[in-house]
Amino acid sequence: MLIRSATFQTSAPDLASCPVSDLPEFAFIGRSNVGKSSLLNMLAGWKELAKVSPVPGHTQLINFFAVDRTWTLVDLPGYGFAKTSKGDRDRFQHMIASYLSSRPNLSCVFVLIDSRHTPQQIDVDFVQWLLDAGTPMALVFTKIDVTKPSHLKKNIALFEERISAMGFGLPLVFTCSSETRAGRPELLDFIGKTLGCHQLADSPIP
Ligand code: GDP
């Protein structure tokens, strides 16, 4: 699948302010510094996609980008900021949790994990929350250009072990680098196939 156009649509501070839309949404989230902005720009083929919101402080909001008028890319705030106050953290958590558990047109949330590290508790907890909530999700291991293949394999296996221990089946796993663009075709193909399924489901029965 190709992306021909990706344009900033709006930023929302909470679920109630999210735009009304029937278009399937694909959301991206991860710890701050995981490489989310770089990945979104790499995917959209646009250098500044994730930084073009005209709203100050947009990194703490839910940001919507219309892609080819067929789907919406949603940039969710990064979690795990060391410097935010407890009040801000609670507000973020509520905003993210309500979007992820109650947005009817959310097709999939991609959880970005830094491939250089063994499983971090904050990521494992977040994935458990998503699985408990029944939110469709996939894992995206980032920065694979700086991770030795043997470490990448080990870190993915360790994360999968943690998920198995929770009693859930394994989610889809993607591996990406914004530097080399590795993983881009696989991610876009997955989005394209998911969109194809939506269109089939929406078409009238002959
Ligand atoms: P965000 O906070 O999750 O949006 O992360 P950024 O996209 O701003 O990236 C954080 C840091 O990681 C920056 O210094 C990026 O240049 C670097 N980075 C992001 N993606 C990659 C990648 O795929 N490979 C490498 N080597 N560095 C990356």
Side-chain angles (χ1 to χ4, degrees):
M1 190 183 74
L2 292 173
I3 291 184
R4 288 183 188 79
S5 74
T7 48
F8 174 72
Q9 201 181 0
T10 191
S11 293
D14 52 34
L15 180 65
S17 316
C18 290
V20 175
S21 170
D22 287 338
L23 292 181
E25 286 178 358
F26 293 84
F28 294 78
I29 192 166
R31 226 153 14 107
S32 47
N33 231 28
V34 71
K36 179 166 56 80
S37 311
S38 308
L39 181 83
L40 296 184
N41 291 327
M42 182 272 269
L43 275 185
W46 187 10
K47 271 198 151 57
E48 291 294 320
L49 175 77
K51 289 184 183 143
V52 293
S53 161
V55 182
H58 71 277
T59 54
Q60 296 171 12
L61 299 168
I62 305 173
N63 295 297
F64 295 83
F65 298 85
V67 184
D68 294 337
R69 297 187 190 172
T70 49
W71 59 281
T72 307
L73 186 158
V74 180
D75 179 12
L76 291 168
Y79 53 82
F81 280 107
K83 286 185 184 152
T84 44
S85 68
K86 184 173 180 313
D88 277 349
R89 273 204 304 276
D90 289 349
R91 194 184 63 77
F92 278 4
Q93 270 169 15
H94 181 256
M95 168 176 72
I96 294 169
S98 54
Y99 172 84
L100 289 172
S101 58
S102 307
R103 182 74 170 161
N105 51 330
L106 175 62
S107 282
C108 183
V109 56
F110 295 102
V111 182
L112 276 53
I113 310 281
D114 194 325
S115 69
R116 296 173 299 175
H117 308 305
T118 53
Q120 306 289 295
Q121 195 57 42
I122 187 167
D123 293 326
V124 173
D125 288 345
F126 182 69
V127 166
Q128 170 140 36
W129 183 89
L130 282 175
L131 292 167
D132 283 337
T135 305
M137 59 151 299
L139 298 178
V140 179
F141 286 84
T142 61
K143 308 189 188 182
I144 61 166
D145 57 296
V146 282
T147 308
K148 272 193 195 163
S150 57
H151 283 174
L152 175 66
K153 212 171 147 194
K154 189 189 86 188
N155 290 341
I156 293 175
L158 287 172
F159 211 102
E160 288 180 336
E161 267 175 35
R162 299 289 296 269
I163 292 175
S164 295
M166 296 170 199
F168 290 103
L170 294 179
L172 266 182
V173 168
F174 296 92
T175 55
C176 289
S177 161
S178 305
E179 291 290 319
T180 66
R181 296 161 73 87
R184 185 175 190 272
E186 291 80 2
L187 262 177
L188 290 180
D189 271 6
F190 169 74
I191 292 173
K193 286 199 179 106
T194 310
L195 290 174
C197 295
H198 277 285
Q199 277 149 13
L200 280 179
D202 290 347
S203 53
I205 297 165

